[in-house]
Amino acid sequence: MTSNRLGLIGGSGLYRMPALSDGEWIAVDTAWGAPSDSLLLGTIAGREVAFLPRHGRGHRIAPHEVNYRANIAALKAAGCTEILAVSAVGGFHADVPPGSFVLVDQYVDRTTRGGRSFFGDGIVAHAAFGHPTCTRLGAVVAAALAEEGGLHRIGGTMLVIEGPQFSTRAESLLHRSWGCDVVGMTGLPEARLAREAELCYASVAMVTDDDAWSDIHVDVASVIAIMEANVARAQALVEAVAAGTWGGIHCPQGCDHALDGAVITAPLAWPPATKRRLATLLPRLFG
Ligand SMILES: CSC[C@H]1O[C@H](OP(=O)(O)O)[C@H](O)[C@@H]1O
Ligand SMILES: Nc1ncnc2[nH]cnc12
């Protein structure tokens, strides 16, 4: 398999990649189970890519049901070194109105779901997550957003709720008062797992609504209407990112070595089955 693919995770409303040529859907299984769907392998603007619809084609998988570990492991197994994730989100203030795109660079976690780490079962690691996204890939995305020319914001905090219900008005007002910019249901644990998998990860949030803090509360119909109106912009953005210069395997921020010094369990204590499973994801450390 190619070893510098760009992984693309499509969220609500982004289930296809028309710009992708020579596409082939390939079923992938992982040591953490099956991903949300087969991977669509092909090229966009000359870059080899792997596209995965986060909720599966037909939007069959709820945010709390997504096998995030399998999704990230499958993209890594397909040779991805970078992941661009796209999500529909609610916005918390006038700088991020519906229709705007936000390059997310921080998260606040309000999820309760499991499957948030590849570690456990006898091998413990604590990855640094102070800067949860890749600045190098982020710079490519920022340039693409500028080139695309639509309303956007570089940098923003995504608050991630468990879902699948939207927030109450009280929660929305609280999250807004915390200084968060947007709210979604899927950015975590996805970004955490990309870090543990030593992949560069960037997230573009497409604002579809004002959540529940204003007088008009979010519903699925309004999310889908805004997504449909902006899907061509999202596709153009993905194309521009794919065409952007790939800086090489060695990420200056260290995403590709994110686990250096993070594994605290003594190698002699590693349970063989856990080591074998981790070796499928991180051969550099466990192979
Ligand atoms: C369809 S509205 C709620 C749904 O939309 C977002 O999906 P994604 O993050 O995959 O774009 C949100 O997180 C919910 O899953
Ligand atoms: N307001 C919202 N809350 C959580 N996820 C969303 N996805 C789109 N809009 C959302």
Side-chain angles (χ1 to χ4, degrees):
M1 285 257 190
T2 318
S3 63
N4 70 343
R5 275 186 201 275
L6 173 65
L8 301 167
I9 300 180
S12 296
L14 197 62
Y15 312 110
R16 297 184 312 110
M17 274 291 138
L20 190 148
S21 49
D22 305 321
E24 195 180 353
W25 289 94
I26 306 279
V28 179
D29 200 13
T30 80
W32 287 271
S36 297
D37 207 327
S38 297
L39 301 184
L40 178 59
L41 304 184
T43 56
I44 299 181
R47 175 97 188 255
E48 295 205 72
V49 303
F51 171 69
L52 176 62
R54 184 184 286 121
H55 303 279
R57 281 168 284 177
H59 205 125
R60 297 168 287 102
I61 306 170
H64 61 287
E65 296 174 324
V66 171
N67 187 341
Y68 296 94
R69 290 191 295 199
N71 285 358
I72 296 297
L75 289 171
K76 180 137 187 196
C80 294
T81 50
E82 302 180 305
I83 295 178
L84 172 62
V86 180
S87 299
V89 296
F92 283 133
H93 52 79
D95 283 0
V96 287
S100 61
F101 288 13
V102 180
L103 176 62
V104 173
D105 61 0
Q106 282 295 335
Y107 296 90
V108 171
D109 198 349
R110 297 271 290 153
T111 67
T112 55
R113 62 190 60 133
R116 59 202 290 126
S117 174
F118 288 108
F119 291 90
D121 293 328
I123 303 186
V124 180
H126 301 284
F129 203 51
H131 296 291
T133 59
C134 175
T135 45
R136 178 182 66 175
L137 181 57
V140 176
V141 176
L145 283 166
E147 182 185 318
E148 189 271 325
L151 192 58
H152 66 273
R153 178 187 159 109
I154 305 302
T157 298
M158 178 193 284
L159 183 133
V160 187
I161 59 171
E162 177 72 8
Q165 301 85 1
F166 293 112
S167 304
T168 64
R169 181 169 162 79
E171 287 166 336
S172 190
L173 289 167
L174 180 68
H175 299 158
R176 186 173 189 248
S177 77
W178 287 349
C180 298
D181 298 291
V182 295
V183 54
M185 301 182 194
T186 60
L188 298 172
E190 195 170 275
R192 294 185 190 282
L193 294 164
R195 175 58 50 83
E196 285 189 349
E198 300 193 319
L199 296 172
C200 297
Y201 179 91
S203 158
V204 170
M206 299 174 62
V207 183
T208 53
D209 56 89
D210 282 342
D211 198 34
W213 58 270
S214 76
D215 289 338
I216 304 168
H217 293 184
V218 55
D219 59 19
V220 168
S222 59
V223 170
I224 295 305
I226 296 283
M227 280 303 299
E228 280 175 359
N230 286 284
V231 76
R233 281 183 65 201
Q235 304 275 5
L237 179 72
V238 166
E239 265 188 83
V241 172
T245 312
W246 181 61
I249 294 220
H250 295 298
C251 168
Q253 188 182 328
C255 299
D256 59 320
H257 278 67
L259 292 180
D260 281 357
V263 180
I264 194 164
T265 309
L268 283 176
W270 291 353
T274 305
K275 177 178 182 251
R276 275 197 301 278
R277 192 172 62 220
L278 285 169
T280 64
L281 181 79
L282 296 158
R284 182 179 91 76
L285 296 168
F286 297 99

